Amino acid sequence: VISQYQVDENAGFISLPFFEDFENETLGIFSEYSVSGVDQSWHHDDYNDDNYAKMSNFNGSENIANEDWLISPAINFNAYNNEELIFKSAMKDYDDFNCFLNLHYSTNYTGTGDPNIATWVEITNDAYWSTGNYEWVESGGIDLSGIVGSQVYIAFEYASDAGSGKTWQIDDVSITA
């Protein structure tokens, strides 16, 4: 599968609609940033010829504290109407405590560096999520049409405490307009 994307006239911005299925064996148009637990980060993985982005805080012997972000390129939401996000998630739950995957957007992130220096609006509860056992669940259509901004980033934030563990997988991310 060959993925094609159209970048608009502003370098670093992605045009809508876009679709990322991670089939090119990378994170595709997404970038990752590890705030803590730098030995674990979002990365490409595959199982039975299904490719996806994956994050786990297991270091080979224990679950360690992590904060890792999977971030889209900038999108000019002022250029579109009726934007909608859809993705699939799968998760393996090793315990029920202090390990989360959150969905955010930001209108003031610079596109590089620590995401915590920007303001992020959480929209986690607008999506359906996998409940475990690596069962893939579609998020449902997440209405992004209320977002205003010429440089908007969408991000998945993985956060865990030491001793808590989950593995999250994200696939088939699309934003239409």
Side-chain angles (χ1 to χ4, degrees):
V1 172
I2 297 174
S3 300
Q4 295 182 10
Y5 304 101
Q6 180 179 357
V7 177
D8 73 15
E9 62 275 2
N10 299 308
F13 285 68
I14 191 99
S15 295
L16 297 183
F18 84 78
F19 178 77
E20 179 57 67
D21 59 8
F22 307 102
E23 292 297 320
N24 63 359
E25 298 184 7
T26 69
L27 292 178
I29 62 170
F30 285 86
S31 61
E32 62 87 17
Y33 188 90
S34 186
V35 175
S36 63
V38 295
D39 290 335
Q40 298 79 40
S41 61
W42 283 98
H43 60 279
H44 166 270
D45 204 354
D46 66 272
Y47 181 74
N48 287 340
D49 294 325
D50 186 22
N51 293 271
Y52 44 82
K54 179 180 178 178
M55 178 59 208
S56 177
N57 65 328
F58 187 67
N59 71 0
S61 60
E62 62 183 334
N63 293 318
I64 64 170
N66 269 263
E67 180 184 349
D68 296 273
W69 293 71
L70 182 65
I71 306 170
S72 76
I75 304 164
N76 182 355
F77 271 59
N78 294 341
Y80 302 98
N81 294 305
N82 303 316
E83 301 92 347
E84 182 179 70
L85 168 66
I86 296 174
F87 61 91
K88 293 188 322 186
S89 68
M91 182 263 293
K92 176 63 175 171
D93 190 1
Y94 300 103
D95 67 51
D96 290 327
F97 305 103
N98 303 317
C99 189
F100 307 96
L101 186 64
N102 298 306
L103 178 63
H104 307 276
Y105 73 87
S106 177
T107 59
N108 69 350
Y109 181 58
T110 63
T112 60
D114 187 347
N116 290 305
I117 62 174
T119 302
W120 293 87
V121 176
E122 186 175 340
I123 55 175
T124 305
N125 292 334
D126 294 348
Y128 297 107
W129 298 90
S130 177
T131 57
N133 295 318
Y134 291 121
E135 177 185 343
W136 286 102
V137 171
E138 187 175 297
S139 64
I142 301 164
D143 183 6
L144 303 177
S145 63
I147 300 173
V148 176
S150 61
Q151 188 169 325
V152 178
Y153 293 85
I154 306 295
F156 297 91
E157 175 203 17
Y158 180 98
S160 66
D161 290 340
S164 300
K166 287 184 174 66
T167 297
W168 278 97
Q169 300 168 171
I170 298 296
D171 200 5
D172 297 341
V173 181
S174 71
I175 298 181
T176 57

